[in-house]
Amino acid sequence: MENLPPAPSAAPKRISDMTVGEFLTPPFRPVEVLRALGPYGRMLHLEPAISMAPDPEFLVRLVTDHASHQAYIRHEAGSDYKNLENLIRGKNNPSRTTKQVLAGRLGFPMDYLEKLAGSALDGPLIPDILAMFQVLEGLPMRVTSGVLAIEVPCHHCGNNLLNDVDAWWSRQVPGMRPAEYHFAERLLNAVLGASLIERLIAVFKERAELSLDRLDALANPLHHPIGNWLLEALASMSCDSLAELATAMQLRGGVGASFSHGRLKKWSAGQDVMPLEAGEAIAEACGQVKSGVRRLIAARAIALVTDFVAASWPTTAHVAGRKGAGAQEVVHARLVQLGHNLQMAIAEMAGKTPQRSRPSGNAEAS
């Protein structure tokens, strides 16, 4: 596909030759950052000057408050976790009663739990669960890449306007290597793909809530992506400042009781990672439990990509002003461009005549 990175050696496997699992959980290519990553970028667990493929566990860290899929399983299994681990690692075979308790607690069919016995002596505890997190990125990424695989020729030069990845990144971030900008592109495709899937579902569902529209607003470089999300929360709760939001959350109690103006300011500026639990509490206060969290996860993904671009950019000139703002300008511009590219591709598929000259960098995303 036009917008996927090339394989490092042999010709890439054709989609027709892939299994469903290979199609939905494509491996990440090795990348190399040049400097320490910011708070959200640190979810990738990459070290400067060391080339390595991002471990898919970063997706667990992105969409939950857990450090790994094993930590997620530990949380879900609670006091029964050790029995589950011993079963899977082949250390012992719990009684049927214990297995029934585990199956009920985890929502696993009994026959599936039986198959887990001795299935992972080392490595990922339950690869199927890690694969589920990978699908959360792989499926929407494939959706976007599939739409952008269509050819939209330019009226002036005849070149495919949608095959712009290398030219765009080379122009906007000179010196950034292909492996790194293809990784950033892949994650942005996943974010946009989630929006496309949401829109498709909305066609068949009455009163569907579109929480992932205006993604470029979350990347607005005037504020950190989490700051942009918090500004939306302020508007929803009729608060004029983060100080007012902190007070409102404290009055609600629960998780909100631990909020302070200082913590919100750090979260808003991206200095600390805002726990997803905190975001869920704010989304609930806004009356947007599901849509608010989905939008927060999109903001977290944009923040991660921004940190990654900042750490992969050969020059440090972009760090002037708010740290990472230059990288965020690039991420925002690419989201806008990808939004325009998707509009062109969808118009082409619908048989309409799209704008076929290359758009300016200031074009608005849908």
Side-chain angles (χ1 to χ4, degrees):
M1 287 184 178
E2 299 290 346
N3 287 274
L4 289 178
S9 53
K13 200 171 187 179
R14 294 181 304 175
I15 289 177
S16 58
D17 295 330
M18 294 180 185
T19 64
V20 173
E22 288 173 332
F23 180 76
L24 294 179
T25 60
F28 293 103
R29 312 292 187 192
V31 293
E32 182 178 331
V33 294
L34 304 176
R35 59 186 66 85
L37 287 150
Y40 287 86
R42 285 196 284 273
M43 292 180 183
L44 295 167
H45 286 187
L46 297 174
E47 296 295 331
I50 298 177
S51 177
M52 64 179 294
D55 191 319
E57 294 279 12
F58 85 85
L59 296 166
V60 181
R61 295 185 278 275
L62 181 64
V63 303
T64 75
D65 281 329
H66 301 292
S68 65
H69 90 286
Q70 188 162 329
Y72 169 76
I73 295 167
R74 182 190 296 272
H75 177 266
E76 294 299 310
S79 59
D80 297 308
Y81 171 76
K82 204 61 187 177
N83 287 327
L84 177 66
E85 184 184 32
N86 288 338
L87 170 72
I88 295 172
R89 298 302 189 195
K91 294 181 179 179
N92 62 43
N93 191 10
S95 67
R96 183 164 184 82
T97 300
T98 299
K99 289 179 184 176
Q100 288 173 336
V101 171
L102 279 171
R105 183 156 195 165
L106 297 169
F108 290 166
M110 193 62 179
D111 59 344
Y112 179 75
L113 193 66
E114 294 280 6
K115 289 178 183 177
L116 287 177
S119 62
L121 302 182
D122 54 23
L125 189 66
I126 306 181
D128 287 349
I129 290 181
L130 182 56
M132 287 170 58
F133 285 99
Q134 290 178 264
V135 170
L136 292 178
E137 184 268 345
L139 175 59
M141 180 274 292
R142 290 291 194 187
V143 169
T144 301
S145 296
V147 174
L148 294 178
I150 191 172
E151 185 168 340
V152 179
C154 175
H155 284 322
H156 301 298
C157 64
N159 291 331
N160 181 9
L161 292 175
L162 305 187
N163 188 17
D164 68 342
V165 178
D166 294 307
W168 193 94
W169 283 94
S170 298
R171 182 173 65 253
Q172 298 292 331
V173 194
M176 189 175 180
R177 291 167 299 194
E180 285 69 51
Y181 65 67
H182 274 292
F183 176 67
E185 181 86 359
R186 170 173 172 168
L187 295 187
L188 293 180
N189 277 357
V191 173
L192 285 164
S195 177
L196 289 174
I197 292 171
E198 185 182 72
R199 286 181 175 275
L200 181 62
I201 293 172
V203 173
F204 303 98
K205 186 178 178 182
E206 290 185 14
R207 299 179 183 176
E209 201 171 22
L210 293 179
S211 56
L212 296 177
D213 60 339
R214 302 176 296 102
L215 287 171
D216 57 312
L218 291 174
N220 186 335
L222 291 176
H223 303 280
H224 188 271
I226 304 303
N228 289 323
W229 184 84
L230 283 169
L231 284 174
E232 294 179 354
L234 288 176
S236 295
M237 294 182 66
S238 300
C239 293
D240 294 327
S241 66
L242 291 175
E244 283 191 24
L245 177 61
T247 300
M249 293 304 299
Q250 289 167 6
L251 291 173
R252 287 180 63 88
V255 175
S258 66
F259 285 20
S260 68
H261 185 208
R263 290 189 77 192
L264 280 171
K265 284 175 65 177
K266 286 189 174 183
W267 292 339
S268 180
Q271 295 174 0
D272 291 336
V273 172
M274 182 170 73
L276 202 63
E277 183 183 34
E280 289 171 347
I282 294 173
E284 182 178 359
C286 293
Q288 301 169 354
V289 178
K290 293 183 179 179
S291 61
V293 172
R294 285 196 292 266
R295 199 159 175 80
L296 174 58
I297 290 173
R300 285 162 68 97
I302 292 168
L304 184 151
V305 175
T306 298
D307 282 353
F308 178 79
V309 170
S312 305
W313 202 335
T315 178
T316 57
H318 63 284
V319 178
R322 180 171 62 81
K323 188 173 181 181
Q328 192 171 322
E329 289 175 358
V330 169
V331 172
H332 175 262
R334 188 54 183 165
L335 275 172
V336 170
Q337 182 64 63
L338 284 169
H340 189 88
N341 287 358
L342 286 169
Q343 286 180 342
M344 287 194 291
I346 292 169
E348 184 78 6
M349 288 188 289
K352 299 177 182 178
T353 303
Q355 173 65 38
R356 291 192 175 188
S357 58
R358 193 165 297 284
S360 68
N362 295 322
E364 289 295 328
S366 61

